[in-house]
Amino acid sequence: MAGREAGNPADDTSGAGVPPAPGHPTDEAPPPVPHQAGSPEDKPGPGDGKPGGEAEQADAPHPHPHTCTCPVCPRGTRAAHREAQAAFRARRDALAAGEGLPAAVSYSAGASRQWISDELTQAAREVGARARAEAEGWYVLLWRRTLYVVWGTVAALFLGQVATAFTAGWTAARTAGLLAALLGGGLLTGAARLHGRRGGVLAPVIGEDNRLSTSRAVAALWVLLTAYAVLVLAGRLAFASGDGERDTLIAGLDLARGAGLVTVLAVTSAVAVVVRRVVAVRVQGQRLQKAQAPRPRAADLLTDDSGRAHFADTQYVLVSAVAVVYALVRLARRPDQLPDLPWGLALLVLVSAATYLASKYAEGSRPVIHAVVRAREAGDLDGPIRTGDDIEIRGAGFLPPSARTPDRLARMVVRIGAVHVHVPLVPVPGGFTNPSDTTLIVPVPVEVEPGKAEVQLVSAAGVETNKVTIEVGD
């Protein structure tokens, strides 16, 4: 979910320098990368504007074989991206070793650094395009896989009902449970088809940063449990033969019996809404750095943006999962009423939700510049900052965990007065030494007028730092 720090020479997972991906034995030109200027996807298609437009594209017959590796196929985009990563790493390590440097720029350390940075920037942008193309193809495969999980769960429920029916006998409650599962599976299938290009069943729980949202996933879990319980009671009511049985089933929906479940459902849903608002406000106010992930992963539910296990997320998912399992057992034992979630267990879920919500208010900070000094190499004389010198910017939070891929690092810009200076990429075997999370080095261009000038950084996530004033000498 997040790459390793750029200042660490550990090998990163993004690359560039893309050779053409193998295609079909035809003369067709490879299609443009999705969402790029001039792409046919930018033009309205026959399904655009219609509820089923995206699903029709996802379900369109694919003319390519299952083993196809051309750039238009989901599996081909993955292969092309991996080739691009390998090519980028090889190119970066070669430039770090001084190989492939033109003689025209080798006379100057500054010119060499700028040429290497430009080469890596172009290569990184190409890999970013390959990564986006792979994500598009991955979503096409994902929505079908989510349906396998849905109907696999329905099949497991059926097998469990059949296995236990040999000893306890088949009852109307078992029939109602299976019918509720079939109806729920059908509704989820329809929703998945409508959102085939957005992750299928997972579309509602994927956040704006392209990660699985813990708060939405937990809320969705309680919504599915409640909906299934109500469908079971509706099925029981439809098969009920006597007035007494009908009255019992209707009484099973009383608030006194389902108060714990309703309270937990209301609180977890409210937490999902509040967390979305909190994150949006903090990002817009530049108090939280967020960048889109390549694609959602199951680990997103338990980790932060950097991929490290997060206590608040983990405990929220764990406590909610345990409570849901308990509620399902209660529903299986008493299918004539809503699961009567004990107040002790409901309170445990509420405390867990409050802890998760508090962590969202506490996390995140904007990048900050602590100081700007003249960069000095061994043998140089001390002196004031002049045009043509390198300056070292010291601070914290320059590289947020979600924006450490080379294509995002290449977007970092330092404003020196009215001049915008792109932060050069300085490679070493396995990574970059510049920029890093706490320091970065940029040259002072000749366009900067002597005198006082303000220095400000635009981080890899597009957040502006504070301004620091320096004195540029003649």
Side-chain angles (χ1 to χ4, degrees):
M1 191 172 70
R4 298 181 175 88
E5 291 192 13
N8 191 330
D11 191 17
D12 57 76
T13 57
S14 296
V18 183
H24 301 288
T26 65
D27 295 332
E28 295 179 351
V33 177
H35 304 312
Q36 299 298 310
S39 172
E41 292 188 7
D42 294 336
K43 302 177 182 180
D48 292 347
K50 300 180 181 179
E54 292 180 350
E56 291 174 3
Q57 295 177 14
D59 291 337
H62 208 288
H64 306 282
H66 178 73
T67 57
C68 174
T69 58
C70 73
V72 76
C73 301
R75 294 175 180 83
T77 55
R78 178 187 301 178
H81 184 212
R82 289 178 177 176
E83 290 178 4
Q85 290 176 320
F88 177 82
R89 287 191 289 265
R91 180 62 170 163
R92 178 199 60 205
D93 294 347
L95 291 174
E99 301 175 2
L101 194 65
V105 298
S106 60
Y107 67 92
S108 169
S112 299
R113 182 179 62 185
Q114 187 61 49
W115 185 88
I116 291 174
S117 179
D118 291 342
E119 285 288 303
L120 292 177
T121 297
Q122 293 296 327
R125 289 173 179 170
E126 185 67 24
V127 162
R130 293 291 190 183
R132 290 188 292 272
E134 179 191 2
E136 292 286 338
W138 182 80
Y139 274 115
V140 174
L141 298 176
L142 176 64
W143 83 272
R144 293 185 177 89
R145 293 172 181 173
T146 58
L147 294 186
Y148 296 155
V149 174
V150 169
W151 290 106
T153 303
V154 174
L157 176 63
F158 172 75
L159 294 176
Q161 295 279 37
V162 171
T164 56
F166 285 109
T167 55
W170 193 267
T171 62
R174 296 178 185 274
T175 303
L178 287 178
L179 290 178
L182 289 173
L183 180 58
L187 293 175
L188 290 176
T189 300
R193 291 182 64 85
L194 288 175
H195 298 280
R197 292 280 183 176
R198 296 294 181 269
V201 175
L202 296 180
V205 299
I206 297 177
E208 286 72 17
D209 58 353
N210 211 27
R211 295 177 177 85
L212 289 181
S213 169
T214 302
S215 59
R216 297 184 197 180
V218 170
L221 192 63
W222 286 104
V223 168
L224 290 176
L225 169 65
T226 306
Y228 179 72
V230 173
L231 287 176
V232 170
L233 288 177
R236 290 290 311 278
L237 187 62
F239 288 103
S241 56
D243 293 339
E245 185 179 1
R246 294 191 186 96
D247 293 339
T248 301
L249 292 172
I250 294 175
L253 291 171
D254 287 345
L255 182 61
R257 298 186 179 183
L261 177 63
V262 172
T263 301
V264 170
L265 175 63
V267 170
T268 53
S269 299
V271 166
V273 175
V274 172
V275 166
R276 180 180 182 181
R277 178 61 180 170
V278 167
V279 172
V281 169
R282 291 174 68 84
V283 170
Q284 292 172 2
Q286 295 194 359
R287 297 191 300 274
L288 177 65
Q289 299 191 80
K290 276 278 188 181
Q292 283 199 345
R295 64 186 186 186
R297 303 185 309 162
D300 295 342
L301 300 177
L302 307 176
T303 62
D304 57 16
D305 290 353
S306 64
R308 293 188 298 262
H310 194 264
F311 170 74
D313 293 55
T314 302
Q315 61 87 27
Y316 191 33
V317 172
L318 181 61
V319 171
S320 297
V322 170
V324 166
V325 170
Y326 178 88
L328 287 174
V329 173
R330 290 295 298 168
L331 179 62
R333 302 293 294 178
R334 295 293 302 272
D336 56 345
Q337 65 180 41
L338 289 176
D340 51 342
L341 202 64
W343 279 109
L345 185 56
L347 182 60
L348 181 62
V349 176
L350 299 185
V351 170
S352 176
T355 303
Y356 174 80
L357 183 59
S359 73
K360 288 300 177 183
Y361 275 99
E363 73 178 8
S365 61
R366 65 184 302 172
V368 58
I369 296 178
H370 294 155
V372 179
V373 299
R374 178 177 177 269
R376 175 182 177 274
E377 296 183 0
D380 285 351
L381 298 177
D382 294 324
I385 298 175
R386 295 185 175 88
T387 56
D389 290 343
D390 289 340
I391 57 174
E392 180 179 321
I393 302 175
R394 301 172 182 174
F398 297 159
L399 305 181
S402 55
R404 293 180 176 178
T405 55
D407 59 322
R408 291 193 177 274
L409 296 181
R411 301 177 187 175
M412 297 181 66
V413 175
V414 174
R415 297 194 188 103
I416 306 177
V419 182
H420 292 69
V421 183
H422 286 79
V423 178
L425 299 177
V426 180
V428 293
F432 299 93
T433 58
N434 189 65
S436 69
D437 191 51
T438 56
T439 61
L440 55 88
I441 297 176
V442 295
V444 179
V446 296
E447 290 80 7
V448 176
E449 297 291 339
K452 293 185 179 296
E454 290 184 334
V455 177
Q456 185 180 35
L457 169 68
V458 180
S459 75
V463 178
E464 296 179 341
T465 65
N466 58 309
K467 297 179 180 180
V468 175
T469 303
I470 62 173
E471 183 77 26
V472 180
D474 293 330

